[in-house]
Amino acid sequence: MYVAEAWPEPQKPRIPEHLDARVEQLLVQAEHAYAKRHADMAVIMYGQTLDAALKRHFEAKGTLNERIKSLVSRHVLPTTIGDWATTVRIIRNEAVHDDGPMTETDMEMTRNFTDAFLRYAVTLPKEIEIRRKLTEPADGA
């Protein structure tokens, strides 16, 4: 005998499109930890996802803090996203350095920020690029 369906249905991971393979791999791990309600691991993995995304999609160098500040100062990211990223970075550091157990709120915030950041900074620009290519007039037109 086998189980054909489970109830409640397992939550599907939120994975935006057009991510670098490593960023997607880290995000899948974060989403699995989130689904199991492993707050410490989810927070760490969302932070790793953000870290990898900044390295791979923006070729930013330095510490995570330095990369965030650099992207904001160069107006690649708006100040509000930079501030939110800094908050998530601090929460992640608390999880990594065992400053206490992460809460559901910490986990939700890091998940929501990571999702919003990836959609704003990676998915949306790529979708715009694809759309432009589809709507550009042919050469000589």
Side-chain angles (χ1 to χ4, degrees):
M1 186 162 125
Y2 67 93
V3 176
E5 292 182 30
W7 188 85
E9 191 171 312
Q11 187 173 11
K12 293 187 181 1
R14 292 193 316 201
I15 310 294
E17 295 184 42
H18 311 297
L19 300 178
D20 169 271
R22 178 64 176 151
V23 174
E24 184 172 340
Q25 179 187 44
L26 292 167
L27 184 55
V28 166
Q29 292 177 47
E31 286 288 288
H32 284 297
Y34 176 85
K36 292 184 182 296
R37 312 316 286 172
H38 295 292
D40 289 13
M41 184 53 66
V43 167
I44 290 168
M45 293 312 300
Y46 287 122
Q48 289 296 101
T49 302
L50 177 60
D51 195 10
L54 288 171
K55 285 179 186 172
R56 288 170 166 78
H57 290 283
F58 295 99
E59 299 177 6
K61 299 198 182 326
T63 66
L64 180 57
N65 188 40
E66 291 167 346
R67 286 191 301 262
I68 292 167
K69 286 181 179 182
S70 172
L71 292 170
V72 170
S73 71
R74 292 185 291 141
H75 305 289
V76 174
L77 294 177
T79 304
T80 53
I81 289 181
D83 292 345
W84 197 6
T86 297
T87 300
V88 168
R89 179 188 63 77
I90 291 167
I91 292 168
R92 175 196 153 202
N93 284 350
E94 289 173 0
V96 169
H97 299 292
D98 196 30
D99 289 341
M102 294 293 101
T103 66
E104 286 278 323
T105 301
D106 295 329
M107 182 173 62
E108 290 292 335
M109 184 173 22
T110 56
R111 181 184 198 224
N112 291 337
F113 172 75
T114 302
D115 183 66
F117 172 82
L118 292 173
R119 290 177 193 281
Y120 172 83
V122 178
T123 301
L124 184 59
K126 186 64 175 179
E127 290 292 328
I128 292 168
E129 177 188 324
I130 290 168
R131 182 70 181 149
R132 282 186 179 146
K133 286 180 182 176
L134 291 173
T135 59
E136 284 178 352
D139 288 345

